[in-house]
Amino acid sequence: MDDSDGTRLRSGESLANAAREVAALGAERIMVNCSAPEAVTTAMGELATLSVPFGGYANGFISVAPLQPGSTVDKLASRTDLDPAAYAEHAIKWFGQGATAIGGCCEVGPAHIAALAKRLSERG
């Protein structure tokens, strides 16, 4: 997904159109991953219009734009504003938008998931 526009894939196509296409082909769940949490929040709104379960996994990078084919993520800078509590705050919004599968991608670790699990448990 495009980190600056969660309604679009990185290649520019509409996320909603792509999701509808894969749902029509029989996808059992549609996930977005390795994008900024803010973009995932926008994407959840797009996916919530479908009749298939959905969810997302955000990353903790400032940007993945410097990543080139064949390179590795060790060239990317991590966000300093995305501690476990902040990540859980983003992810709890996804849950509120109807996401049924939530996790974490690069730079999101066990402490982030534990904070999210705690928040979800508190909600019942």
Side-chain angles (χ1 to χ4, degrees):
M1 231 170 25
D2 184 317
D3 283 336
S4 63
D5 180 356
T7 69
R8 301 229 158 265
L9 302 177
R10 285 196 174 102
S11 54
E13 290 90 4
S14 160
L15 171 63
N17 289 345
R20 277 193 293 277
E21 297 254 344
V22 297
L25 292 171
E28 294 180 14
R29 181 175 312 272
I30 299 177
M31 305 290 294
V32 295
N33 75 305
C34 208
S35 297
E38 296 83 1
V40 173
T41 300
T42 301
M44 295 300 101
E46 296 287 301
L47 298 179
T49 65
L50 304 174
S51 59
V52 63
F54 64 92
Y57 297 12
N59 68 38
F61 294 126
I62 293 171
S63 172
V64 297
L67 199 59
Q68 297 297 315
S71 64
T72 59
V73 296
D74 62 336
K75 307 276 189 243
L76 303 179
S78 299
R79 288 174 62 160
T80 59
D81 65 337
L82 200 60
D83 65 9
Y87 188 81
E89 189 64 32
H90 285 287
I92 212 77
K93 291 176 190 171
W94 311 336
F95 177 76
Q97 291 171 286
T100 57
I102 299 171
C105 200
C106 303
E107 300 299 303
V108 174
H112 294 84
I113 301 305
L116 173 57
K118 183 176 186 286
R119 290 286 305 275
L120 288 169
S121 292
E122 290 169 356
R123 289 178 68 118

